[in-house]
Amino acid sequence: MAVLTSKVIPGSPAFRENERQYGDLLADLAEKYDWALGGGGEKMIARHLARAKILVRDRIDLLVDPMTPFLELSPLAAYGLYDNGLPSAGIVTGIGTIRGRTCVIIANDATVKGGSFFKETVRKHIRAQDIAMENRLPVVYLVDCGGANLRNMEDVFPDQDHFGGTFYRQCRMSAEGIPQLAAVFGECTAGGAYIPALADEFVMVSGNSSIHLGGPQIVKAAISEVVDREKLGGALMHSTVSGVSDHYAADEHQAIGKLRDMVGALNYPQPFGPEVRESRRPFFDAAELPGIVGTDLSRPLDPREIIARIVDGSEFHEFKPLYGETLVCGFAHIEGLPVGIIANNGVLFSESTLKGVHFIELCDQRDVPILFMQNTTGFMVGSDAERTGIAKNSAKLVYAVSNTRVPRYTLVTGGSYGAGNYGMSGRGFRPRFMFMWPNARLGGMSPDVGSSVLMDLRRASISRNPATEEELAEEERGFRWLFEEKNDPYYCTARIFDDGIIDPRDTRSVLALCLATGAMRPREVPARPVYRM
């Protein structure tokens, strides 16, 4: 295939300034990651360790195969919410390799609010389960859970995608033959008890772990029985008397080892579908991306400069390069895996939209997954655009995205606004994974357009609601601030509108893991559900 060229001059003043500005973004991202990794703080961590318990990410490190990556999802969930007191939403989710099998891992962090479920915790848990269902990956639960947060029950209990939705998905996956395995490291009360109880197989740890639908306090209040936690639902009782637990472990290390054995015993092959070529490094260095991208979204950016730094050998077979030039489409490989790339190169006109539809159909026919690289203000507006059928043609793109059978992946490299987000496989269209760069922005309108529209409406009501020019200017600043705040990538990732903010220099590695996950084909043997005793 043709090798891309680059017009970037790494030593130029513009490049150096972009690099400096983007360096500030990356430093800010690192600081926020430190917040996520800090868990519940020094006091709660010390308390956790004093109970001979292992920290959540250390448990995951022990669980996954040595020298294999773990792709953590939404590490900055709940950032800026609850007075910043819910790091990572109290739960760590991601994809890792256990005994040679790719698995989804869902792990409670008991140092954060006792591992209880808030709104964002539930969203993150469900998102991980949906990834497992779509890619047919075994799910491993590291349970250390205090159940639903009682002060926020309306946000976590009654609706279909609240806490009950996690159990529904767990049951559906088991019925479809997708393994559900668990290890219990702490107290599982009320709804939290169902996570291990619905697992196909699980292990409990002596001393710290317990499972009970009602804790000692509830039992005393309900039936006046006084009983301690260990006798009520401890690991020994459930392993020797009730039979609820399938395995008993003396400590957490033994439990993690047993969990690895469970995965190793699975008869669950994960064959690769596509032809995998030998991986080759890009001809151009990904370390140049911060200096290329910068922080000014109003500055045009040729997506080929990005593609050249993430695909194998910087080779890119471009489709219709002379037509619909505001959308770049073509075939490439990332770490040997085939991928079709659709990247914004400006506003979407009818021509570029139709080009995108054609290319999606090609990928669907050839069984090639699609990577959407978003950086657009949306579809073109105006009388000329309407006369060329932009409404109909943009709908065709949305239809094609919705109905293609191949896996889709989305990366927001710049602005992602309005219906352009939809046409480029935004979160509402359920891509397998969606990531953002720290310079990215996502929203219904850009701050310029959004504040202008609201001010036009405000001025139209001036006769009913008089205001001075100074007051109007203050209102306009408020409107702009509103859009800037809600389009901010950290606002979005805190609410799990994506799967995480990543360093542009890590893009190739992250995408390779995602492509490899989607490349595994489901087994054809009909599955049967696992019924607990």
Side-chain angles (χ1 to χ4, degrees):
M1 293 191 290
V3 177
L4 290 168
T5 60
S6 177
K7 298 179 181 178
V8 172
I9 304 174
S12 67
F15 181 93
R16 293 182 183 276
E17 179 59 19
N18 282 343
E19 194 172 42
R20 184 193 66 78
Q21 293 176 359
Y22 214 100
D24 292 340
L25 290 184
L26 294 176
D28 183 50
L29 178 63
E31 184 177 317
K32 290 178 171 62
Y33 277 154
D34 286 343
W35 165 83
L37 295 173
E42 293 182 4
K43 181 178 179 181
M44 296 307 298
I45 288 174
R47 179 181 172 187
H48 187 87
L49 296 175
R51 295 174 174 174
K53 299 177 75 171
I54 302 172
L55 297 176
V56 62
R57 289 179 175 84
D58 292 337
R59 288 171 180 163
I60 294 172
D61 285 343
L62 292 169
L63 178 65
V64 300
D65 293 347
M67 305 302 292
T68 62
F70 174 69
L71 177 60
E72 184 172 343
L73 303 172
S74 302
L76 299 180
Y79 178 79
L81 305 176
Y82 311 103
D83 297 322
N84 240 11
L86 196 67
S88 298
I91 192 169
V92 178
T93 63
I95 298 172
T97 303
I98 306 171
R99 295 289 292 270
R101 289 176 176 81
T102 302
C103 302
V104 165
I105 299 171
I106 300 176
N108 304 112
D109 185 353
T111 70
V112 180
K113 308 297 183 183
S116 58
F117 278 71
F118 288 70
K119 177 182 179 180
E120 291 72 24
T121 318
V122 174
R123 282 179 58 85
K124 191 170 171 179
H125 187 115
I126 282 178
R127 173 61 185 149
Q129 288 180 307
D130 286 347
I131 289 171
M133 291 176 71
E134 190 166 32
N135 294 283
R136 299 191 65 82
L137 303 179
V139 186
V140 177
Y141 302 87
L142 306 185
V143 191
D144 203 344
C145 165
N149 182 271
L150 299 180
R151 296 179 182 272
N152 302 89
M153 293 298 283
E154 72 280 5
D155 291 330
V156 298
F157 179 71
D159 207 354
Q160 65 177 13
D161 281 337
H162 284 172
F163 203 17
T166 68
F167 309 137
Y168 172 79
R169 285 165 171 79
Q170 198 170 340
C171 295
R172 295 287 296 180
M173 282 191 280
S174 180
E176 291 180 17
I178 302 173
Q180 307 291 296
L181 307 173
V184 181
F185 297 105
E187 190 170 3
C188 297
T189 305
Y194 286 114
I195 299 174
L198 290 171
D200 305 332
E201 188 177 359
F202 75 92
V203 58
M204 292 182 71
V205 179
S206 173
N208 285 322
S209 69
S210 62
I211 297 174
H212 31 64
L213 294 185
Q217 300 89 341
I218 295 176
V219 171
K220 181 179 180 181
I223 62 173
S224 300
E225 179 185 354
V226 178
V227 61
D228 62 40
R229 187 172 65 90
E230 184 66 27
K231 184 178 179 181
L232 180 64
L236 187 61
M237 189 282 288
H238 278 313
S239 298
T240 61
V241 179
S242 73
V244 169
S245 174
D246 302 302
H247 304 281
Y248 176 86
D251 56 31
E252 293 200 5
H253 285 88
Q254 191 177 81
I256 292 170
K258 181 60 67 176
L259 196 51
R260 283 181 51 81
D261 289 344
M262 291 182 209
V263 177
L266 293 175
N267 178 26
Y268 198 79
Q270 294 178 316
F272 253 43
E275 174 193 0
V276 181
R277 299 183 180 180
E278 182 180 355
S279 175
R280 292 171 296 134
R281 295 183 62 81
F283 185 77
F284 299 98
D285 192 351
E288 296 173 348
L289 285 173
I292 294 169
V293 177
T295 59
D296 184 2
L297 296 186
S298 66
R299 185 177 59 83
L301 174 62
D302 186 348
R304 297 174 188 85
E305 297 286 1
I306 300 172
I307 296 169
R309 288 160 176 82
I310 64 173
V311 302
D312 289 2
S314 299
E315 292 180 350
F316 184 60
H317 175 59
E318 189 166 349
F319 176 71
K320 287 185 182 290
L322 303 180
Y323 179 78
E325 296 180 42
T326 60
L327 194 67
V328 174
C329 304
F331 295 100
H333 286 76
I334 296 178
E335 294 288 4
L337 296 166
V339 63
I341 299 176
I342 300 178
N344 295 121
N345 194 25
V347 67
L348 289 164
F349 292 88
S350 280
E351 296 83 358
S352 49
T353 299
L354 292 174
K355 172 181 170 180
V357 172
H358 188 171
F359 185 72
I360 289 172
E361 290 177 345
L362 283 181
C363 291
D364 199 56
Q365 180 194 60
R366 300 176 185 180
D367 196 21
V368 175
I370 306 172
L371 168 64
F372 291 82
M373 290 172 45
Q374 296 187 358
N375 181 20
T376 183
T377 54
F379 294 102
M380 190 61 187
V381 297
S383 56
D384 288 343
E386 298 298 347
R387 289 189 180 95
T388 62
I390 190 66
K392 177 180 65 177
N393 294 327
S394 62
K396 289 179 181 178
L397 181 59
V398 167
Y399 188 90
V401 169
S402 301
N403 289 287
T404 184
R405 295 167 295 178
V406 297
R408 290 176 284 108
Y409 308 88
T410 302
L411 174 68
V412 186
T413 63
S416 176
Y417 296 116
N421 170 274
Y422 295 164
M424 291 293 292
S425 189
R427 193 57 172 264
F429 289 78
R430 295 164 175 78
R432 296 286 179 104
F433 295 92
M434 177 172 169
F435 296 96
M436 298 177 72
W437 283 356
N439 63 295
R441 296 294 183 271
L442 188 155
M445 292 182 180
S446 69
D448 287 339
V449 174
S451 59
S452 177
V453 169
L454 290 180
M455 281 308 298
D456 285 346
L457 294 173
R458 177 65 182 93
R459 290 182 184 280
S461 68
I462 200 73
S463 60
R464 299 190 303 274
N465 300 292
T468 65
E469 284 300 318
E470 289 78 10
E471 290 171 334
L472 289 174
E474 182 62 28
E475 288 187 40
E476 184 172 10
R477 284 191 290 270
F479 290 147
R480 173 174 285 277
W481 177 85
L482 179 68
F483 281 98
E484 288 176 346
E485 179 193 30
K486 295 191 175 182
N487 292 353
D488 185 84
Y490 295 106
Y491 183 95
C492 296
T493 203
R495 291 156 180 81
I496 318 175
F497 298 162
D498 64 4
D499 293 311
I501 299 173
I502 62 173
D503 186 326
R505 298 168 296 186
D506 296 332
T507 300
R508 175 175 162 87
S509 298
V510 171
L511 291 177
L513 286 168
C514 295
L515 288 168
T517 298
M520 289 179 289
R521 296 294 192 254
R523 60 179 179 179
E524 297 179 359
V525 179
R528 296 181 64 85
V530 173
Y531 296 103
R532 299 290 307 177
M533 288 186 294

